[in-house]
Amino acid sequence: VETVRQELIANMQAVIEKTGIDPAEVGDIVVGSVLAPGSQRANECRMAAFYAGFPGPETSKMCEIASPCCFCS
């Protein structure tokens, strides 16, 4: 699980660096997950976003899209 958190933080930091966005300007963060227990993944993503430099929930809202069983063609 720790690797997942570290990867989330690194990926979110990479988005900030590559796009040059100001994290304070981000109003909504949408993440997707597969087979995460309960709301655990959303909480992990919220903390990863915070540690990556995005502001707290008072300015940036987090939304999780869970897709436990998806067949794409």
Side-chain angles (χ1 to χ4, degrees):
V1 173
E2 190 59 36
T3 302
V4 172
R5 290 183 192 129
Q6 292 170 347
E7 288 177 5
L8 284 169
I9 294 168
N11 288 329
M12 290 182 179
Q13 287 173 332
V15 167
I16 293 169
E17 291 173 16
K18 288 182 180 182
T19 62
I21 61 170
D22 178 2
E25 296 290 322
V26 175
D28 296 301
I29 300 171
V30 180
V31 295
S33 67
V34 177
L35 300 176
S39 62
Q40 179 179 346
R41 182 66 70 218
N43 291 334
E44 290 173 351
C45 292
R46 164 52 42 221
M47 292 307 298
F50 178 75
Y51 286 120
F54 290 96
E58 61 278 352
T59 56
S60 289
K61 306 300 183 232
M62 174 69 67
C63 176
E64 176 193 17
I65 299 173
S67 183
C69 227
C70 178
F71 296 98
C72 301
S73 57

